[in-house]
Amino acid sequence: MREVRISQLLNSGEPGQTVVVEGWVRSRRDSKAGLSFIDVNDGSSLNSLQIVAQNSLTNYQDVITQLTTGSSVVVRGTLVKARKARVEVEATSVELVGDSPADYPLQKKGHTFEFLREKAHLRPRTNSLGAVMRVRHELAMAIHDFFREQGFIWVHTPIITASDAEGAGELFRVTTLDSKTPPLDDNGNIDRKQDFFGRDTFLTVSGQLEGEALACAMGRIYTFGPTFRAENSNTARHASEFWMVEPEMAFCDTVGNQNLAEAFIKHVVSHALHRCEEDLAFFDQRIEKNLIQSLTHVAETPFERMTYTQAITELKKSGQSFEYPPEWGRALQSEHERYLCEEVLKKPIILTDYPAEGTAFYMRLNDDGKTVANMDVLVPRIGEIIGGSQREEREDVVLAKFKAHKISPEDYWWYLDLRRYGTVPHAGFGLGFERLVMYVTGMKNIRDVIPFPRTPRSAEF
Ligand code: 4AD
Ligand code: MG
């Protein structure tokens, strides 16, 4: 494989330089003057590189004038100046590597995203999905940079776990038992003691609980890995398999957690603005008007911070007619979140201190006895992008919460140990990585920011 990629040639190639270009043909145009123009894309850049092939090339008639969209080529030649401060390649040879017959599905531009989802193996070759993949990559890199600079270490929590971190019961079971004739115990229930791990096991919904154990040793950690939810909600923002970023900090309270979340989002958004200029300009033009302006605004202005109780007051006095009337103690619906975020404040909001009832067992109980020290970060267009909290570090309070949540303390003996031996205030959050990618690209459906998405009733590829 050659060393130089098309993005480098377009950005900093020197006219006169001899080059080898490997990629896929986007289009070919033959001119009457006896030469052809071939646009080649190699995935490194939104822009294709124009190749000029003269009819003096030996395979001009047989190969070059027959080149079709989607075929793969290796081009050798010289970089020359073209119009509009661009460069192109004057070819000395064009070699066809793999042709692409007329049934290639991505013939014309302007396919719908729904159509492209059915061609998930080919869609990275389109402008939009190619740009999504590059931005996704840059965001992942920015995340690692941010935490590394802040002294966090990246830890790898298990994908197969025995605990339900969110207590929401949205678990995919991991089993090797025969589904038709599973072994039964004396009560006629499936005997999990005979299963592969000798107990119930599931795909993780969150690395948080194990992350807490690591933070209570290493001080500052983060996870960045796949999580799974068997949640039957078919929305544009939910996937059954998605990546989560979960920092966890020892000796940290809820305000420290909020500060980290804000600095974190600002950092990764700024990074994308600097590193993905071309791709973001494309999204701004084609997908979400004023995307760059709104991202710049997010990177520069302080987020709003508001308690759940203040939010309910605000919603009630708004005079808006909501489908679900806002009432203290009830869950906030996305219509409420969107109203606050998009109509009232027009910027990200950190909503804190939700009613204790209905929240996860690990969230620290506030002194009022009614609310918890949690937060959701909401951003315009997406809604919730981050969920997190200060953790309940007091053993007696955790035990009381277990009782209320009907969780057996024996199953979480190790989690209790962390409260028994050198317990410490600690806090953390989870960012849905795909929601971040949607936010930064302006893409409207989570299925279009994951190369091979998994959603209810859909696991092709
Ligand atoms: O709010 P959630 O459920 O919080 C947790 O899992 C905590 N254990 C995190 C922590 O404190 N360490 O999920 C965190 C984020 C959400 O804010 C959302 O962005 C994303 O994960 N998320 C999903 N993204 C895509 N598809 C789904 N089905 C998602 N469910 C949650
Ligand atoms: Mg949440």
Side-chain angles (χ1 to χ4, degrees):
M1 201 171 79
R2 97 208 118 80
E3 281 157 31
V4 185
R5 310 211 66 209
I6 286 176
S7 58
Q8 286 167 281
L9 294 178
L10 290 173
N11 292 328
S12 55
E14 289 290 331
Q17 186 183 346
T18 47
V19 296
V20 184
V21 175
E22 299 163 337
W24 291 266
V25 172
R26 283 289 179 88
S27 65
R28 191 202 78 240
R29 189 163 55 82
D30 305 321
S31 119
K32 289 205 181 77
L35 73 169
S36 297
F37 302 96
I38 311 153
D39 277 346
V40 174
N41 192 287
D42 70 355
S44 63
S45 161
L46 186 70
N47 294 304
S48 300
L49 182 61
Q50 176 161 286
I51 311 295
V52 184
Q54 304 285 349
N55 63 4
S56 53
L57 295 173
T58 52
N59 62 351
Y60 185 77
Q61 288 304 338
D62 299 348
V63 177
I64 295 175
T65 57
Q66 315 299 317
L67 283 175
T68 51
T69 300
S71 35
S72 47
V73 290
V74 177
V75 177
R76 287 163 213 279
T78 312
L79 209 60
V80 296
K81 254 210 167 73
R83 274 182 301 158
K84 291 196 206 153
R86 304 212 63 142
V87 287
E88 60 189 25
V89 171
E90 188 68 55
T92 52
S93 80
V94 177
E95 179 196 334
L96 174 65
V97 179
D99 69 356
S100 176
D103 60 355
Y104 179 60
L106 308 180
Q107 289 297 346
K108 54 179 182 17
K109 288 181 181 170
H111 289 298
T112 64
F113 287 122
E114 288 79 6
F115 172 83
L116 291 176
R117 275 173 222 151
E118 290 165 13
K119 313 283 178 224
H121 58 308
L122 297 173
R123 68 178 180 167
R125 298 189 197 176
T126 63
N127 281 341
S128 48
L129 267 289
V132 166
M133 288 307 123
R134 283 185 296 272
V135 173
R136 189 177 162 112
H137 160 74
E138 280 301 334
L139 288 169
M141 290 299 162
I143 286 166
H144 288 301
D145 287 348
F146 174 81
F147 286 120
R148 189 181 215 179
E149 275 164 29
Q150 305 262 336
F152 286 66
I153 71 162
W154 181 24
V155 299
H156 307 107
T157 48
I159 287 171
I160 300 174
T161 73
S163 49
D164 180 0
E166 291 308 298
E170 296 163 345
L171 301 160
F172 285 103
R173 182 182 289 284
V174 175
T175 178
T176 54
L177 292 181
D178 184 70
S179 60
K180 276 201 186 127
T181 52
L184 302 179
D185 64 16
D186 295 344
N187 300 321
N189 298 321
I190 295 176
D191 186 6
R192 296 290 167 197
K193 289 207 178 67
Q194 295 188 47
D195 206 341
F196 189 90
F197 294 106
R199 60 179 305 159
D200 286 316
T201 45
F202 309 94
L203 295 180
T204 188
V205 294
S206 156
Q208 179 195 318
L209 303 190
E210 293 91 351
E212 284 185 52
L214 287 154
C216 290
M218 315 303 296
R220 295 172 158 209
I221 61 94
Y222 70 105
T223 71
F224 188 175
T227 51
F228 307 86
R229 297 200 182 176
E231 182 183 4
N232 205 356
S233 45
N234 244 310
T235 80
R237 303 180 310 151
H238 288 86
S240 314
E241 174 177 319
F242 61 99
W243 282 58
M244 220 197 304
V245 181
E246 297 185 273
E248 192 72 30
M249 296 165 285
F251 301 98
C252 180
D253 64 9
T254 186
V255 176
N257 205 29
Q258 293 162 25
N259 293 344
L260 184 80
E262 180 167 347
F264 173 58
I265 291 188
K266 288 193 150 98
H267 174 91
V268 296
V269 167
S270 307
H271 178 94
L273 282 166
H274 289 120
R275 290 292 293 252
C276 308
E277 248 176 287
E278 236 168 46
D279 289 325
L280 292 189
F282 168 81
F283 289 120
D284 191 304
Q285 204 180 2
R286 299 290 178 86
I287 305 289
E288 176 70 33
K289 272 218 149 32
N290 299 324
L291 175 74
I292 293 178
Q293 196 189 329
S294 77
L295 293 177
T296 308
H297 180 66
V298 165
E300 289 170 357
T301 32
F303 292 6
E304 190 72 30
R305 300 188 188 194
M306 194 187 251
T307 65
Y308 167 91
T309 304
Q310 288 167 331
I312 293 291
T313 310
E314 194 73 34
L315 289 165
K316 279 187 147 176
K317 72 171 195 219
S318 72
Q320 293 281 313
S321 69
F322 293 108
E323 196 186 334
Y324 296 87
E327 200 62 58
W328 203 97
R330 287 200 199 141
L332 287 176
Q333 303 293 328
S334 85
E335 56 173 343
H336 306 135
E337 298 178 350
R338 297 192 78 136
Y339 174 76
L340 290 172
C341 214
E342 290 166 19
E343 309 280 328
V344 184
L345 300 159
K346 296 185 167 55
K347 59 174 162 173
I349 313 176
I350 306 181
L351 269 184
T352 65
D353 305 286
Y354 284 55
E357 200 164 325
T359 51
F361 68 86
Y362 53 73
M363 294 181 177
R364 191 179 197 279
L365 192 64
N366 284 328
D367 292 345
D368 63 11
K370 289 194 310 199
T371 59
V372 288
N374 74 331
M375 67 170 175
D376 271 359
V377 181
L378 316 177
V379 294
R381 293 188 273 114
I382 305 289
E384 179 191 337
I385 197 166
I386 280 179
S389 75
Q390 186 172 339
R391 317 306 187 190
E392 187 52 75
E393 85 284 14
R394 298 163 294 190
E395 186 189 1
D396 55 333
V397 186
V398 174
L399 281 168
K401 289 235 191 179
F402 279 169
K403 203 164 178 189
H405 284 82
K406 299 196 169 57
I407 293 171
S408 123
E410 296 82 59
D411 290 345
Y412 289 82
W413 62 274
W414 59 274
Y415 195 73
L416 289 165
D417 264 7
L418 298 171
R419 277 77 191 155
R420 236 169 248 154
Y421 306 122
T423 194
V424 63
H426 61 289
F429 62 78
L431 165 100
F433 184 54
E434 282 75 17
R435 300 229 178 133
L436 175 70
V437 181
M438 288 172 73
Y439 184 56
V440 171
T441 58
M443 295 294 284
K444 306 288 182 288
N445 197 305
I446 197 162
R447 291 164 183 78
D448 302 325
V449 299
I450 304 177
F452 298 99
R454 271 81 184 89
T455 52
R457 321 217 70 74
S458 166
E460 190 70 42
F461 306 99

